[in-house]
Amino acid sequence: MTQSTISLTALRPDHLEGALRLSRQAGWPHRLEDWQLALDLSAGFVALDTNASTVVGTILMTPYKRDVATVNMVIVDEAARGRGLGRKLMEAIIEQAGLRALRLVATGEGLPLYQKLGFFRTGTIIQHQGTVLPVATPANVRPAESHDIFGILELDRSAFGADRRCLLRTLAEVGQLAVLDRGQGIAGFAMSRGFGRGEVIGPVVAANVDDGKALLSFFMARSEGRFVRVDTAETAQLSAWLAERGLIQVGDGIAMQRPVAVQSSPSTFTTFALASQAFG
Ligand SMILES: CC(C)(COP(=O)(O)OP(=O)(O)OC[C@H]1O[C@@H](n2cnc3c(N)ncnc32)[C@H](O)[C@@H]1OP(=O)(O)O)[C@@H](O)C(=O)NCCC(=O)NCCS
């Protein structure tokens, strides 16, 4: 395979089997339906080896209105690495993103590429997963009702710093939503859905770590004995608590942004678990 036989084109549904081959090769747990969901919410490119018509590279950009986008599913076939294809995919997506601030969660392999393209480290994301041990069902957390969606969107916008209504409405169609409700309006929310080898809990948005634990406990209690994943910021200080309940730390990633993060006014709400490393 030579660079001259490789061309970039828009990632379409008929490329997803080839994309799935690459994510499996990279050891990622995505199923075809996880790729499909990502594509529904995103736009991106595949690198095609035109001789063999095989997908040898992928990249997606998930836009949140005009302000922010996450860059995800950045993969180059093992056989094609180290020859500038990762950079080519990144340059194409940066152009497509326009003026949006870009966020991503980098692997150690991707880090040098992102640094060279002007991304700055903003934190560490810790991946927890495992079989859920018994967890007490928390008080004041209930399944969300349709009228809660407006409060949920507002909390998420406050914690994430951009309007993610398209993402949250789509995830709500394939998963479940719960809210923390002490009778004075919703004080936090959590979401759970099928992903990879089992389920993922996230996003989880709350005002403090105890509320975050209550929201996580709601879905963990329902998933006792099942395989669950939670991606959480190191600063959320949930790692020991999650590990005691069966979700051990299995890896970490580097949260990055381009251009350098602007210090916005601090929010009352924090994202205690990500929707996924891809979506932030
Ligand atoms: C990350 C990945 C996409 C990079 O793809 P690639 O085609 O090998 O990348 P490139 O050949 O374009 O190299 C990118 C740049 O990083 C540099 N680089 C790579 N490894 C480096 C290292 N260890 N130290 C310093 N620079 C390094 C290259 O020199 C190149 O810089 P240049 O463009 O200025 O010459 C690929 O390794 C991959 O698919 N890894 C597995 C999946 C993964 O982890 N994806 C990232 C998810 S966030």
Side-chain angles (χ1 to χ4, degrees), residues 5 7 9 19 39 41 69 85 90 98 100 102 129 132 160 162 178 192 199 217 220 231 243 247 255-256:
T5 65
S7 63
T9 184
L39 182 57
L41 289 160
L85 189 50
M90 280 298 293
R100 292 181 181 90
L102 294 177
Q129 63 191 38
V132 180
F160 186 81
S192 170
E199 296 157 25
S217 297
M220 288 164 74
D231 292 284
L247 306 190
M256 305 187 89

Side-chain angles (χ1 to χ4, degrees), residues 74-76 81-84 86-87 105 107 109 112-114 116:
V74 187
I75 315 175
V76 169
R81 288 184 196 162
R83 285 183 256 159
R87 175 182 272 269
V105 179
T107 59
E109 271 174 294
L113 172 62
Y114 305 134
K116 284 183 174 185

Side-chain angles (χ1 to χ4, degrees), residues 47-251:
L48 286 179
D49 179 348
T50 43
N51 285 342
S53 294
T54 46
V55 174
V56 293
T58 58
I59 194 160
L60 287 177
M61 185 235 357
T62 311
Y64 300 128
K65 297 275 178 89
R66 288 169 184 272
D67 305 323
V68 175
T70 57
V71 176
N72 49 72
M73 309 315 286
V74 187
I75 315 175
V76 169
D77 191 322
E78 277 168 6
R81 288 184 196 162
R83 285 183 256 159
L85 189 50
R87 175 182 272 269
K88 210 168 155 186
L89 287 162
M90 280 298 293
E91 286 172 347
I93 215 79
I94 287 169
E95 193 183 331
Q96 177 160 305
L99 295 174
R100 292 181 181 90
L102 294 177
R103 300 185 194 172
L104 56 80
V105 179
T107 59
E109 271 174 294
L111 185 63
L113 172 62
Y114 305 134
Q115 283 171 328
K116 284 183 174 185
L117 290 170
F119 284 80
F120 292 84
R121 184 184 191 126
T122 56
T124 301
I125 303 300
I126 305 176
Q127 179 182 343
H128 286 266
Q129 63 191 38
T131 303
V132 180
L133 299 173
V135 175
T137 302
N140 300 323
V141 180
R142 60 167 173 81
E145 293 162 13
S146 54
H147 62 86
D148 292 319
I149 190 69
F150 303 105
I152 288 170
L153 296 178
E154 191 48 36
L155 257 56
D156 188 72
R157 193 198 55 73
S158 170
F160 186 81
D163 185 336
R164 298 200 295 175
R165 68 185 58 207
C166 190
L167 171 74
L168 296 178
R169 286 186 189 278
T170 302
L171 295 185
E173 284 168 17
V174 295
Q176 291 90 47
L177 269 168
V179 293
L180 180 63
D181 182 359
R182 299 194 184 93
Q184 296 164 324
I186 63 170
F189 78 92
M191 201 172 248
S192 170
R193 67 182 193 281
F195 171 78
R197 293 169 57 191
E199 296 157 25
V200 63
I201 304 175
V204 175
V205 171
N208 57 62
V209 70
D210 289 333
D211 287 357
K213 287 174 183 173
L215 285 156
L216 282 161
S217 297
F218 178 83
F219 283 118
M220 288 164 74
R222 290 181 158 202
S223 297
E224 185 183 322
R226 296 213 290 269
F227 185 87
V228 168
R229 170 170 174 170
V230 174
D231 292 284
T232 180
E234 190 176 43
T235 48
Q237 299 194 312
L238 281 168
S239 281
W241 185 86
L242 286 166
E244 281 165 18
R245 287 154 186 79
L247 306 190
I248 58 166
Q249 180 176 344
V250 295

